[in-house]
Amino acid sequence: MLLKFSIRFMAVLFAVLALAAIAIHFFFSKSITTDLWIISMPIILGIPILTAVVVAKDDEFSLQ
């Protein structure tokens, strides 16, 4: 069950990371790109963590 949780987390992480990369690349100037990556990293990591935990079922967290 931990495998399902991990796969879900990684899928959401890659999706959010790809969207952030596209948005930062096309919508902002190159002079503030590094600053935006630093500022947006907690959001990029927080969304997959919260999504994976909220969608997870009780049996995925049980240690058997």
Side-chain angles (χ1 to χ4, degrees), residues 1-14 52:
M1 294 297 173
L2 185 60
L3 183 64
K4 288 172 58 177
F5 180 81
S6 300
I7 291 173
R8 183 181 308 119
F9 171 75
M10 293 303 292
V12 175
L13 177 66
F14 287 140

Side-chain angles (χ1 to χ4, degrees), residues 48-61:
I49 292 170
L50 291 175
T51 303
V53 169
V54 168
V55 176
K57 297 178 180 139
D58 288 336
D59 60 344
E60 291 181 22
F61 290 119

